[in-house]
Amino acid sequence: MSDGATRASGPRTLAEKVWDEHVVVKGEGEGAQRKPDLIYIDLHLVHEVTSPQAFEGLRLGGRRLRRPDLTIATEDHNVPTIDIDRPIADPTSRTQVETLRRNCEEFGVRLHPMGDIEQGIVHVVGPQLGLTQPGMTVVCGDSHTSTHGAFGALAMGIGTSEVEHVMATQTLSLRPFKTMAVTVDGILPDGVTAKDLILAVIAEIGTGGGQGHVIEYRGEAIRALSMESRMTICNMSIEAGARAGMVAPDETTYEFIKGRPHAPEGADWDAAVAHWRDLRTDEGAVFDKEVRIDAATLTPFVTWGTNPGQGSPLGASVPDPAAIADADTAAGVESALKYMDLRPGTPLRDIAVDTVFVGSCTNGRIEDLRVVADVLRGRKVAEGVRMLVVPGSMRVRAQADDEGLGEVFAAAGAEWRQAGCSMCLGMNPDQLSPGQRCASTSNRNFEGRQGKGGRTHLVSPAVAAATAVRGTLSAPADLG
Ligand SMILES: CC(C)[C@H](C(=O)O)[C@@H](O)C(=O)O
Ligand code: SF4
């Protein structure tokens, strides 16, 4: 952290505490001249997209994997979500997945391949196995590694060369970050979810608002959230430009972890919880930046633009660039509306979609699927709308089926798929065609993100489900 080591004796933030516990070698120097610290990594998550060159680097260097036991891999980005027993049709995707399989075999990495009950999106798999725990350092060659910060872990996305460094040494050379507090006072109103909250936060602070910072989410509204919801929020920290997002662990955290395959047991559990209880920002600790939000002011929130910060309350209208004073902002809005084919002043509720995607590491967990099923039960997906419901992992899918949710999706006319990143990004067969418009529970709405020429509106699972029923952007309350 900015002054982590110098603050070691005074009050520290949660992020500084976790950082300090993992310093192997402290960087020399002060201020801007300070060299990076060498940080120990407790958990390394791996997927097919960012690992091939790293494994290749190890091979060329004649190195082994330093800690295969702290490394785990899953197939997620390139996998199809239907016909998973057939060979992958796309040659690039097939090569990626086959390469991961070969590498994991050669280097002794545990891999959950397609069809395995623990296979799924890397950020769903870690928490579900109880691998992600408070106070850990967690890395993955994937920006949404910030998800794991929901447990009070310091969890960061890293680049491929860093992936190789972690594979070889189980450490990472890191420059201290700044700290930021996002405090959400009060309680979220009925019908307002974690996704609405984080979209509203990003709209307020901007996609660069968290740059260089680790964000700690605090306050009554955050404490009231489930682990799934906290993961949704931490997941999108990266869309505010932050290096990581964190929530201090509490009873909700311990309850989620307890009994999972990799959770500590017996005396180890007691010792772990005793340690975890210290993982909170000390009274009097200073954040480099602070933002306060009143939960009571929030409503369902959707994006209309081509970055996650271009969003508004569902009850608002498409903004008018002519009414925006700042010229750069106005130009950005104008070009976004052109790509999105939206006219200023159109009520957001009037925007018709042809596709609805429920899934991704933001909103592909069991709680999200329950919300969607609650809305869809006894209803039908609107004519002309295609709805994909994609579980974040095969374990989530099995649980959803046990609870009868899969039947609800099918009865409503939605496609109930196998696990993977799916339509969150155009790396597998689940893609939008040019000009198609999608209400999506994922986290990125960049041009072409869900397929070339596709248009994305980021929404919560509740809004996605209601939109599927009405055919236009809607909240469950609109269904009457
Ligand atoms: C493919 C991967 C490197 C990428 C990421 O880092 O986030 C992907 O998961 C994404 O969401 O865009
Ligand atoms: S679900 Fe989407 S955001 Fe998450 S890891 Fe996969 S591609 Fe990235």
Side-chain angles (χ1 to χ4, degrees):
M1 298 298 116
S2 34
D3 297 298
T6 51
R7 280 185 202 156
S9 53
R12 289 175 298 162
T13 64
L14 165 63
E16 287 163 338
K17 287 185 182 179
V18 179
W19 179 280
D20 289 343
E21 281 185 5
H22 289 83
V23 175
V24 179
V25 182
K26 187 177 157 342
E28 285 172 18
E30 293 299 326
Q33 308 304 319
R34 184 169 152 189
K35 297 261 186 324
D37 289 352
L38 192 67
I39 297 293
Y40 193 76
I41 301 303
D42 296 318
L43 176 64
H44 187 192
L45 304 162
V46 172
H47 62 61
E48 70 272 27
V49 182
T50 46
S51 61
Q53 284 153 296
F55 279 118
E56 185 62 12
L58 285 192
R59 199 176 286 122
L60 290 174
R63 292 198 177 91
R64 302 195 54 74
L65 202 72
R66 179 97 172 99
R67 292 295 300 267
D69 55 325
L70 303 183
T71 312
I72 182 167
T74 178
E75 302 168 358
D76 51 9
H77 288 72
N78 292 112
V79 301
T81 57
I82 41 170
D83 301 331
I84 58 165
D85 46 347
R86 294 208 211 129
I88 299 178
D90 175 62
T92 312
S93 290
R94 192 170 61 233
T95 304
Q96 291 279 73
V97 169
E98 284 172 356
T99 305
L100 180 69
R101 290 180 186 176
R102 265 203 318 277
N103 283 330
C104 287
E105 168 106 45
E106 180 180 338
F107 287 93
V109 175
R110 167 176 167 191
L111 167 69
H112 293 294
M114 259 194 292
D116 185 283
I117 182 73
E118 304 299 349
Q119 178 266 341
I121 307 169
V122 70
H123 311 307
V124 176
V125 170
Q128 137 189 316
L129 286 168
L131 284 165
T132 306
Q133 293 172 19
M136 281 185 165
T137 46
V138 181
V139 297
C140 174
D142 193 285
S143 56
H144 295 99
T145 309
S146 58
T147 314
H148 307 261
F151 291 79
L154 184 58
M156 290 159 296
I158 56 177
T160 297
S161 58
E162 292 173 303
V163 170
E164 184 183 341
H165 192 281
V166 175
M167 284 178 172
T169 67
Q170 203 58 31
T171 66
L172 201 53
S173 188
L174 284 176
R175 285 196 182 280
F177 315 127
K178 296 196 178 100
T179 57
M180 176 170 175
V182 171
T183 306
V184 190
D185 298 310
I187 288 292
L188 289 174
D190 268 358
V192 181
T193 68
K195 183 65 165 288
D196 304 307
L197 166 57
I198 190 63
L199 285 172
V201 166
I202 300 169
E204 177 156 331
I205 69 176
T207 51
Q211 208 160 15
H213 293 76
V214 172
I215 300 178
E216 184 183 332
Y217 300 95
R218 304 153 57 80
E220 194 185 356
I222 302 294
R223 296 261 71 89
L225 293 177
S226 67
M227 286 315 295
E228 282 90 343
S229 292
R230 293 178 190 181
M231 283 188 254
T232 299
I233 289 175
C234 288
N235 173 276
M236 290 198 70
S237 304
I238 200 75
E239 309 309 335
R243 274 299 261 144
M246 298 178 93
V247 174
D250 58 13
E251 297 305 323
T252 304
T253 321
Y254 314 148
E255 202 178 302
F256 182 96
I257 297 172
K258 198 164 189 181
R260 290 189 184 262
H262 290 271
E265 286 175 350
D268 289 344
W269 171 260
D270 296 338
V273 173
H275 172 224
W276 296 344
R277 287 194 196 286
D278 286 337
L279 296 173
R280 54 185 61 244
T281 292
D282 294 327
E283 190 118 8
V286 181
F287 290 91
D288 295 302
K289 198 167 170 182
E290 292 202 52
V291 173
R292 278 203 109 87
I293 289 179
D294 177 3
T297 62
L298 297 171
T299 67
F301 209 90
V302 301
T303 66
W304 40 261
T306 51
N307 74 54
Q310 291 179 319
S312 301
L314 177 61
S317 298
V318 174
D320 184 355
I324 298 172
D326 179 70
D328 285 348
T329 310
V333 170
E334 192 166 349
S335 94
L337 296 189
K338 187 158 180 255
Y339 180 83
M340 293 295 289
D341 192 27
L342 292 174
R343 221 163 275 131
T346 308
L348 295 173
R349 276 196 170 84
D350 289 354
I351 297 175
V353 304
D354 43 57
T355 311
V356 174
F357 169 61
V358 172
S360 88
C361 58
T362 314
N363 285 124
R365 286 171 287 269
I366 189 69
E367 180 183 277
D368 304 309
L369 300 186
R370 286 183 192 135
V371 167
V372 171
D374 283 347
V375 176
L376 290 186
R377 202 168 279 116
R379 296 193 169 103
K380 290 269 181 219
V381 173
E383 208 163 304
V385 174
R386 176 188 189 211
M387 183 181 198
L388 255 60
V389 183
V390 186
S393 71
M394 293 302 276
R395 176 75 63 194
V396 168
R397 184 180 156 99
Q399 191 176 350
D401 277 333
D402 281 350
E403 296 180 16
L405 310 186
E407 279 163 36
V408 175
F409 304 141
E415 298 175 35
W416 173 224
R417 298 295 192 90
Q418 312 291 322
C421 294
S422 183
M423 204 180 261
C424 177
L425 92 175
M427 279 192 182
N428 58 70
D430 303 339
Q431 299 196 22
L432 296 180
S433 305
Q436 283 192 321
R437 186 184 297 279
C438 180
S440 176
T441 66
S442 54
N443 49 41
R444 286 183 172 159
N445 52 348
F446 307 139
E447 292 187 15
R449 166 78 180 182
Q450 297 188 288
K452 196 159 181 279
R455 302 181 177 120
T456 304
H457 295 274
L458 300 177
V459 300
S460 71
V463 168
T467 300
V469 173
R470 288 221 326 171
T472 57
L473 294 179
S474 308
D478 300 325
L479 299 176

